Structure formats: C-alpha cells, structure tokens
Amino acid sequence: MMSRLGILITAGAIALASSAATFDKPMDFGPNNPFYAPSTLPFHAPRFDKIKDADYQPAIEAGMAEQRQEMRAIADNPAPPTFENTLVAMERTGQMFNRVMTAFNGVTGANLNPELQKVQDFEAPRLAAHSDAIFLDSKLFQRVAAVYQQRDSLKLDPESLRLVEFYYKKFVHSGANLSDSDKAQLKKLIEEESTLTNAFTTKLLAATKDAAYVTKEKDALAGLGDAQITAATLAAKDRKLEGYVLPLQNTTQQPDLDSLSQRSTRQTLFENSWNRTERGGPNDTHKIVARLAQLRSQKAKLLGFSNYAAWKLEDQMAKTPDAALKFMEALVWGATAKATGEARDIQAVIDSQNGGFKLEPWDWNYYSEQVRKAKYDMDEAQIKPYFELNNVLENGVFYAATQLYGITFKERKDIPVYNPDVRVFEVFDANGKPLALFYGDYFRRDNKNGGAWMSNFVDRSKLLDTLPVVYNVCNFSKPAPGETALLSFRDVTTMFHEFGHALHGMFADTEYPILSGTAVASDFVEFPSQFNEHWASYPAVFSNYAKHYKTGAPMPAELAAKIKKAETFNQGYAVTEVLAAAQLDMQWHTLPADTPLQKPDGFETEALKKTHLALSAVPPRYRSTYFAHIWGGDYGAGYYAYLWAEMLDDDAFQWFEDHGGLTRANGDRFRRMVLSRGNTEDLANLYKAWRGAEPSIEPMLKYRGLAEPVSK
Ligand SMILES: [Zn+2]
C-alpha cells in the first residue's frame, strides 16, 4: 500500500522553459478569493465552506507568479548571499501557492469533478515547469552555492546546516552545476526521455486494453462468481463485443486467476498478460525500454555518475545501488526457498486431484487459494462484525497512539469539509496542548482515486508558525443508510498504515517546511506507516478494538489466531515476485553509459538468472516491457524501496518488542528521535541513532515467515 504524499516542490529535473499557454482573459484574483489570505480558521484549516471550484485556477496562477517573483527578488538581491537572505528567504516563498495547492491536491484526489479535472489537466505541465524553473535558475544557484561554500564558518544549528546541504545538492542533482553546453545536452536527453516516457505510457495502456481475454463461451469462465461474470459481460458490452471480456490489470498475475477452473483459460489469460507488450505492432514497447535505459545512463554520466541508479539513489537512505543490491541479495535465499516450499504444497494439491501436470505460473493462484482455504479458512462475514469502522478508529488506531505517545482526540464538527463523509478531529499532545488537526475520509466514492493515501493541508513549520493539518483518505465500502460500516482485516491494516503517515506529519517539529514531516526520501517514507501497521495485531491493541459491533464480545481466540497465521501465507511467492521486479529495475538502471542498446527479453532472462530469481512458476510482478513504475513513472531505480522500508519497519518493531512493546517511554523516544525529525538529518544516521545499530534484515525474514523451515 503505497500512499501518495503531497510534496509540493518535486524532484527538479532540469527542464524546459515554462510553457507558453495564454489565457483568454486575465484571471480574476483578489481578496474575495479564499486563498488570497491565510485561513483564519483554527490551524489555518482550508475554508472549504467558502472555496468554490472556480477559485482554484486563478489562485494557482497567482500563486505561481507570486513565488516566481519572490524567488526573483532573492536571486537579484544586491546584498551578498547569506543563510538568512537566501535559504531562509527561499523557505518563506510560495505560501499562497502552498495554500491553494494543498487544498487542490486534496480535492482532486478525493472529490474530483469535471471542472476541477479541466484545471488539473491544464495546470499539470505548468506546475512541473514551475518547480523545474526554480532549480534551473543559475543566479539562485550561485547564491546557494556561495552559502554552501562557507557553511562551516557560519555556526549554523544542525537543521539549518541540513537545509543548506539539501538545497545545494538538489540544485547540483538537477544539473545546475553543468557547463552551458552540457546543460544543453542534458536538456535534449530530458526532452527525449519525457517523449519516450509518454509514448511508453500510451502504448502500455493500449496494449493492456488489447490483450484482454475475450471469449464467447461461458464455459471457459467456469469458476467465476456471478458478480465476476456480470462484470465480464459489461466489459464486453463496453467494447461492443459479443460474449465476455476479462480486462487486464497492470500486474503479471490477474485477479481472476484465483478462481478460473479451466486450465486452458488460465493459460491464455496469463499469456495475454505476459506478452501484452511483446506482440510487435504499434504497441510493442521493446525499443522504447531499450532506449530509455540507455539514455538514462547517458544522462547520469553527464551528471557525473557511473549509472542512473547511482544518480537516483544519491539522496536516498540507501545512498548507493550497491547497498540496495546487497539488501536484495540477502532476501533472495529466504524468499525463494519459501516459494519453492509453497510450490511443493501446490503441486501436492494438483497431484491429489490427479491433475497430471506440472505447476505453471497460471496455476499458482488457483491452487494456492485452495491451500489457503484448507489451512486458514476464514469467512469474511464471520470476521467483519468485529471490525466496525468507528470502533477500529477510536479504540484501535487512536488507542494505540494514545498508549504510545499520550496524544488524545476530540471530534470537531465546526471545521468545514469538502464532502460530508469527511470527519475532523483535533489532536492534543500529552500535555493537553493542541497538536494538529486530523481529517479522515474513509468511504469509497465514484469521484475518488483508488487506494489509500495521506497528505497535509498545512505543514508544520516553526519558521512559518504553522501546526500540521493532515488527512487520511481510504476506499472502504460505504454502508447503506442506517447500516454499520464493517471492515475486513485488510482495511483495518490500511487504516493503521495511513495513520502511521499521519503521525509522521503530525509529530513534525521542524523549523523549515521543506524538511518537515513526510518530506523524506522514498525508501524511508513508508517506514513510519508500515511500522504503525504492526499495532493492528498487537494483542493489547487488538483486544481493545476487535469486539462484536452488536454484542461487544471479543473476537474468539481461534478466529484471531487464524488472522494472525494467514499473514505469512504465500509470502514466498509475494516477496519473490516483488524482488524479481526490483532486481529487473536495478539491473536496467545500473547499465553503464557506453552499453549498446539491449534486447529486453534476453536482458531480462539473463538478469533474473544472474540474481537467482529465475523461478519458473514465480514470474516477476511486472515484466520489463510493461513495468510502468520504472518507465512511465518516477520509480526508476526505486522499486526496491517497498522492500527496504519493510526491513526498517520490522526491524523497528523488533526494537519495541525487545524493550517492552507498547509503552509511553518507547513511543516518546521513537517520536523524539524519528517521527518528529522529518528530513532534518541524514536518514541512515537518524535511524541508527534511534535503533543503536544498522537496520537488520532478520526481523523482516521472521515477520514474513521466510526464516521458518520450509514445510516437508
Ligand atoms: Zn504508505
């Protein structure tokens, strides 16, 4: 579960002058616009009672113009550069822009409508260009560099020193230090990369649509439930086809493979997925992938790095590809041994049914579902009455936070919201002082993005005298009017996860907004959230919330034990498929700049073999030619981060276990040394100072069940 975290100034790739769009008429922006001045509500909460859809665009445009002007004034300041007149001044810019963008990101993510969609489409490239322009401004860079050179003689406090280094590295990382001719070369590569990335996304979308499984025979879909059959009929209608269509999802494995009982259907559906971008024709992505890998290595070389991953990881906790590779290598044995054991269990089921065939990837989910049912048969209908939403929130999520950190919660009905389903809580510190506002938007809506995420409406900053306003968004099923909202255990875990991000945002206690809260490296950002998931099944927390919503009776121990045991089921497969994808990502992105164009299929086979991840029944979660995270998104050389953060959260939880578990002393120490610190210190050092050691992989192997002896 990856959350989206709103961070306004994005990683500034060197780029292109701001786009030259013009407006039909000047935008009307003045004191009547609710973003014009800071909100006068408690915590500067957004004025959702006053904000109209038409208010966003003029405020975004005025906000960008204002920040450009503020940055210009800093760059053109005739006074010699100082920490105050350059770095602190930069941190003070863009306050109006932030006000509107945080609210805009909130509503476009969770409460979109066609008018907002239009604004979003129009502004997206302009917003990207806006942030790029800041890190391209060579006059601004000269001033930052000048402060950076004298940083040791300035007697700065550690956070201020970190700010200087942060900005300097960000400018250099983006290419601000290059000669003009190298800058021009870099710009060309970035333009080509952006063109290829867009082409990849377009082709992948079309290829995925084209490769759907289509049949006129209902028998071929044997095993699917009524709802799935109806969905397949509707999907066919949508495409004006007769019969049934099973559209593909992004991953290699497809959800319907759990239940399709005809082996030939499973094989066809799987192969459609596996070969979606490998069929020649206009949507084949081989050439794009090969060139993207090559040009990224050339880009890295220009910026002074031996490969793209080295450039990309420079500001991550792992710091080097070598560290990420060593980490993944340490996981391989446990994961593949476990997967091999799982494969044996599955083969035994196939044999016991006289299947007469060898397990293939398209069989895995179908038979593992049977193994799961036999081992931990759990009826969702039996479990859900113990997980009533409000009870989970107040007596589970909030309760754990109170036990650990002493914070308390009081619902506030007077703070305006963007949708009536949103609830607002004021959060009080252990000493009774107001700490933050927390919004929970839990129910699915048609105009809400899928998944779950956390972000801020207001960042904590001592410099700007602001306290955090944070929100969680989820997609739980909304009950019919008068009915009770009941959750699955997966939903419960999601709620704890997103609240872990929220704590990271609410405990932020930093001077500078750019270093605040969740504004940390992507291989660290999921650590506090995944860590918080552990409390969901922690006995003292679980027994406090897992109570029947009608009778108040605690969940029977046998049922609770099944939930706990099911957590390690099929983890060999789950970790191996992610590892395989993460290794593909890293192998592609550690190619040196002089490597000739590669043939993706051969490269992939070789890469999996070389990294000991070529298991015939466990294909990578994404194949090179349809790996959207790395070619179409910003996760190039970054897919390992999911596993890396897991190492951290399990290792951290182990520390709690070793020190008495759920106690205020443990919580306060974690808050002081980790959660409140944002990005104010090198993250590897920060972690080590709290843990007293480098993160260890052992707890992850234990919690994932990968350290156990393989069955039989
Ligand atoms: Zn997350």
Side-chain angles (χ1 to χ4, degrees):
M1 276 160 285
M2 197 70 183
S3 75
R4 296 183 324 166
L5 295 144
I7 293 159
L8 282 177
I9 298 185
T10 55
I14 275 257
L16 339 164
S18 64
S19 67
T22 51
F23 297 93
D24 297 342
K25 50 183 192 299
M27 293 241 166
D28 183 29
F29 182 77
N32 286 335
N33 189 298
F35 296 109
Y36 186 83
S39 158
T40 53
L41 292 176
F43 298 84
H44 304 300
R47 303 270 357 195
F48 287 120
D49 53 338
K50 299 245 167 88
I51 300 167
K52 297 180 298 301
D53 289 344
D55 292 325
Y56 287 105
Q57 192 166 20
I60 292 171
E61 286 296 326
M64 284 194 287
E66 183 183 275
Q67 189 174 31
R68 272 198 304 275
Q69 230 166 46
E70 292 164 340
M71 287 289 186
R72 193 78 262 133
I74 297 168
D76 293 343
N77 188 349
T82 65
F83 177 72
E84 281 292 325
N85 75 19
T86 305
L87 281 307
V88 176
M90 286 170 74
E91 282 295 278
R92 288 186 189 279
T93 68
Q95 292 181 43
M96 201 261 284
F97 180 57
N98 279 2
R99 277 201 295 279
V100 58
M101 283 313 297
T102 49
F104 185 66
N105 288 334
V107 294
T108 51
N111 212 36
L112 192 62
N113 63 41
E115 188 175 351
L116 292 173
Q117 176 77 61
K118 255 167 71 183
V119 177
Q120 193 175 35
D121 291 346
F122 181 84
E123 295 294 342
R126 298 173 59 77
L127 290 164
H130 175 69
S131 98
D132 288 345
I134 293 171
F135 289 98
L136 255 188
D137 189 319
S138 51
K139 271 180 97 175
L140 206 51
F141 173 62
Q142 294 313 322
R143 292 183 73 88
V144 171
V147 178
Y148 178 80
Q149 304 311 340
Q150 1 152 354
R151 67 193 182 285
D152 290 335
S153 57
L154 296 178
K155 300 205 169 61
L156 296 171
D157 63 87
E159 187 181 338
S160 298
L161 184 61
R162 174 82 171 168
L163 186 75
V164 177
E165 291 169 352
F166 175 86
Y167 269 112
Y168 177 76
K169 286 182 183 160
K170 200 159 174 82
F171 273 101
V172 173
H173 197 79
S174 310
N177 226 356
L178 298 183
S179 70
D180 283 350
S181 68
D182 281 354
K183 266 188 192 165
Q185 178 65 24
L186 184 63
K187 192 176 147 186
K188 260 170 105 179
L189 286 171
I190 287 168
E191 279 171 350
E192 188 188 349
E193 183 181 14
S194 144
T195 307
L196 289 177
T197 294
N198 287 335
F200 176 87
T201 305
T202 310
K203 282 175 195 283
L204 177 57
L205 201 66
T208 302
K209 191 171 177 224
D210 275 1
Y213 176 85
V214 184
T215 183
K216 287 183 187 162
E217 312 297 327
K218 197 176 173 186
D219 289 354
L221 303 184
L224 294 187
D226 291 345
Q228 289 162 297
I229 298 276
T230 307
T233 316
L234 290 176
K237 250 190 203 143
D238 259 6
R239 297 174 183 214
K240 305 198 170 31
L241 292 173
E242 259 181 74
Y244 310 89
V245 169
L246 304 178
L248 293 186
Q249 311 248 351
N250 298 340
T251 46
T252 297
Q253 291 286 4
Q254 300 297 310
D256 290 332
L257 290 169
D258 289 7
S259 35
L260 286 163
S261 57
Q262 299 266 4
R263 189 160 191 246
S264 57
T265 306
R266 290 202 303 269
Q267 181 171 358
T268 309
L269 175 57
F270 179 87
E271 284 173 349
N272 284 6
S273 170
W274 184 245
N275 296 317
R276 67 183 84 176
T277 38
E278 307 250 337
R279 306 191 294 179
N283 297 325
D284 191 294
T285 58
H286 281 94
K287 281 191 178 147
I288 293 185
V289 165
R291 175 59 187 148
L292 268 174
Q294 188 186 50
L295 86 77
R296 283 179 180 175
S297 64
Q298 292 165 349
K299 191 172 120 180
K301 188 180 177 195
L302 208 52
L303 288 159
F305 292 84
S306 53
N307 56 57
Y308 182 79
W311 173 72
K312 195 67 189 285
L313 267 64
E314 190 197 17
D315 61 357
Q316 298 294 297
M317 181 180 172
K319 291 196 184 69
T320 63
D322 204 42
L325 286 166
K326 279 214 175 90
F327 159 69
M328 290 196 277
E329 278 157 23
L331 271 177
V332 168
W333 189 85
T336 54
K338 180 86 174 173
T340 305
E342 290 163 1
R344 264 202 301 273
D345 286 352
I346 292 172
Q347 188 68 53
V349 176
I350 295 172
D351 295 346
S352 74
Q353 299 174 6
N354 298 317
F357 56 83
K358 183 176 149 278
L359 167 69
E360 295 286 352
W362 48 88
D363 302 315
W364 189 290
N365 291 3
Y366 181 69
Y367 289 97
S368 94
E369 186 59 17
Q370 295 184 18
V371 175
R372 191 187 69 79
K373 275 197 180 134
K375 278 194 175 168
Y376 320 102
D377 188 25
M378 283 192 300
D379 187 358
E380 286 279 293
Q382 217 184 333
I383 292 170
K384 284 184 163 183
Y386 294 93
F387 299 141
E388 187 267 318
L389 189 148
N390 196 54
N391 196 29
V392 174
L393 180 66
E394 299 197 11
N395 297 316
V397 173
F398 288 173
Y399 173 78
T402 304
Q403 299 306 304
L404 286 166
Y405 312 110
I407 57 174
T408 52
F409 303 82
K410 188 167 166 260
E411 185 154 13
R412 288 196 64 156
K413 306 271 189 187
D414 59 323
I415 306 287
V417 291
Y418 55 83
N419 183 288
D421 282 349
V422 182
R423 296 171 67 187
V424 184
F425 295 85
E426 183 167 356
V427 186
F428 298 91
D429 216 334
N431 60 10
K433 278 193 183 161
L435 177 74
L437 275 188
F438 170 74
Y439 296 48
D441 181 2
Y442 290 112
F443 295 124
R444 183 178 307 141
R445 277 192 298 277
D446 284 344
N447 61 350
K448 192 191 260 193
N449 282 335
W453 62 93
M454 165 274 179
S455 195
N456 283 55
F457 286 129
V458 182
D459 284 330
R460 164 68 170 142
S461 162
K462 287 188 251 187
L463 177 73
L464 305 179
D465 197 20
T466 50
L467 287 171
V469 179
V470 310
Y471 59 91
N472 279 174
V473 181
C474 297
N475 269 282
F476 305 147
S477 303
K478 189 173 176 174
E483 300 283 306
T484 309
L486 302 178
L487 306 179
S488 67
F489 189 62
R490 195 192 157 89
D491 293 341
V492 171
T493 309
T494 300
M495 210 185 221
F496 276 86
H497 176 103
E498 296 310 331
F499 197 73
H501 286 306
L503 288 170
H504 201 190
M506 294 193 293
F507 287 148
D509 196 23
T510 49
E511 188 74 17
Y512 307 111
I514 205 161
L515 303 177
S516 176
T518 55
V520 293
S522 26
D523 60 2
F524 191 85
V525 73
E526 294 300 319
F527 158 45
S529 52
Q530 292 178 177
F531 168 75
N532 204 54
E533 287 181 31
H534 286 272
W535 303 112
S537 53
Y538 189 80
V541 177
F542 189 83
S543 63
N544 196 61
Y545 74 86
K547 292 179 180 165
H548 198 283
Y549 76 106
K550 276 186 184 156
T551 65
M555 180 180 280
E558 190 196 345
L559 200 55
K562 273 186 181 173
I563 292 178
K564 185 93 187 143
K565 269 187 95 177
E567 284 181 345
T568 54
F569 179 70
N570 206 40
Q571 289 303 303
Y573 187 99
V575 176
T576 303
E577 69 160 358
V578 172
L579 255 183
Q583 269 293 9
L584 285 180
D585 172 29
M586 209 45 97
Q587 297 300 319
W588 277 112
H589 287 116
T590 44
L591 287 173
D594 54 5
T595 314
L597 280 176
Q598 299 292 303
K599 290 207 163 62
D601 291 348
F603 180 87
E604 179 171 289
T605 308
E606 204 39 54
L608 292 175
K609 221 188 279 172
K610 192 170 104 183
T611 54
H612 309 288
L613 288 161
L615 271 63
S616 64
V618 189
R621 190 170 169 81
Y622 303 95
R623 204 177 180 185
S624 300
T625 55
Y626 54 85
F627 203 161
H629 294 74
I630 66 169
W631 307 123
D634 203 23
Y635 264 85
Y639 198 71
Y640 77 95
Y642 290 98
L643 294 166
W644 180 275
E646 196 174 320
M647 163 176 71
L648 300 180
D649 78 70
D650 288 338
D651 185 53
F653 187 69
Q654 186 64 53
W655 183 92
F656 273 76
E657 292 267 52
D658 295 344
H659 292 79
L662 185 82
T663 69
R664 270 297 302 285
N666 287 347
D668 285 348
R669 184 171 177 276
F670 188 58
R671 171 181 174 176
R672 189 177 73 246
M673 298 181 77
V674 179
L675 294 179
S676 66
R677 302 290 310 279
N679 194 25
T680 58
E681 191 185 339
D682 175 272
L683 296 168
N685 292 345
L686 181 150
Y687 187 88
K688 195 176 166 187
W690 169 74
R691 182 66 168 97
E694 304 281 348
S696 155
I697 201 166
E698 299 306 322
M700 177 177 181
L701 294 174
K702 186 181 87 180
Y703 290 117
R704 280 273 199 166
L706 303 181
E708 294 164 10
V710 179
S711 67
K712 277 173 240 138

